[in-house]
Amino acid sequence: REPGRRARLLRLADGPRACTVLDLETSGLDPHSDHILQIAAVDVTLTEAAGTVTAEPTGEWSTLVKLPRPWTRVGAREIHGITRRRLLRGIPLQEAISELDRRLEGRIAIAHNLDFDWGFLETARERVGLPASNSPRACTLKISRSLDPDRQRSHRLGDLCREHGIVLVNAHDALADAQATAALLPLLLSRAGGLGALQTAVDQPAL
């Protein structure tokens, strides 16, 4: 986040919501020392009828991201399954971020554990000289936790998919995780009270 900017909550107007559900695979947990290996985005339009939210898929995109140097570590391959050889087919980081930002124009960015993904994206934007994003955004992890204030259940993506009957194939592939999150999103919003429960945070100039 740029200096002098803060996040505020924004309740959107009534009507369909155009959203892009995103997911990243990374070489580790630190956005400053680790790297984005894969980016995926699933476009959906959310609508509500009689308190039930539905999501209509309208497109998807995924790319591997080239390493900054051939010897850069790729992290836990046993989890994400991404090797240096596969990343040779990727695109440069700046190109990948630019394409994601193009897809986010006029849409709400959504992810499961959004703070993690957004932290990597903002650090990557700084790294390649792109401006910070002002896209409105929301987090399915936070929505799920809001339905369980006493924290009686797991809110990991895989556990939520099992709870809601969503088949998650190839977990920790960015596109598979984004598809699963897109399927989970309307179910969580329906339980939370409908589209009115979708609050998004957007960067605003500090007062």
Side-chain angles (χ1 to χ4, degrees):
R1 182 175 301 157
E2 293 178 341
R5 304 184 75 86
R6 62 183 177 84
R8 70 175 178 86
L9 289 178
L10 173 71
R11 187 173 293 277
L12 300 178
D14 293 335
R17 313 287 171 84
C19 303
T20 293
V21 181
L22 60 91
D23 190 78
L24 310 179
E25 293 304 321
T26 66
S27 63
L29 302 178
D30 187 340
H32 298 285
S33 59
D34 294 309
H35 299 275
I36 297 172
L37 306 179
Q38 184 186 16
I39 303 176
V42 175
D43 300 330
V44 297
T45 299
L46 300 177
T47 56
E48 180 183 349
T52 298
V53 177
T54 58
E56 178 186 358
T58 57
E60 62 184 34
W61 166 78
S62 176
T63 186
L64 295 170
V65 179
K66 283 185 178 179
L67 295 171
R69 294 170 296 277
W71 57 86
T72 300
R73 62 183 294 273
V74 296
R77 286 181 294 176
E78 69 277 9
I79 295 177
H80 54 59
I82 300 173
T83 63
R84 288 188 179 89
R85 183 178 296 274
R86 283 187 63 196
L87 293 172
L88 293 174
R89 305 196 305 268
I91 63 177
L93 178 62
Q94 183 172 1
E95 183 179 338
I97 299 292
S98 296
E99 173 60 19
L100 178 64
D101 286 345
R102 186 191 68 79
R103 300 184 71 92
L104 287 174
E105 288 180 8
R107 309 179 70 86
I108 305 167
I110 295 178
H112 197 72
N113 194 9
L114 177 84
D115 288 345
F116 176 84
D117 294 288
W118 208 255
F120 264 90
L121 289 171
E122 289 299 84
T123 300
R125 289 185 180 99
E126 293 178 7
R127 190 174 288 158
V128 298
L130 293 174
S133 173
N134 283 328
S135 294
R137 50 198 184 272
C139 178
T140 50
L141 176 61
K142 291 180 180 178
I143 296 169
S144 182
R145 285 175 172 171
S146 74
L147 298 168
D148 180 29
D150 296 327
R151 299 292 192 274
Q152 298 298 306
R153 306 190 314 278
S154 167
H155 297 276
R156 295 170 62 91
L157 180 60
D159 294 330
L160 289 172
C161 286
R162 282 187 288 273
E163 178 183 340
H164 290 86
I166 298 168
V167 178
L168 175 54
V169 180
N170 200 17
H172 297 295
D173 171 81
L175 182 57
D177 286 354
Q179 291 168 335
T181 302
L184 179 65
L185 174 62
L187 302 179
L188 293 177
L189 288 174
S190 295
R191 289 181 55 198
L195 286 178
L198 184 61
Q199 289 185 322
T200 64
V202 61
D203 280 341
Q204 295 290 332
L207 298 177

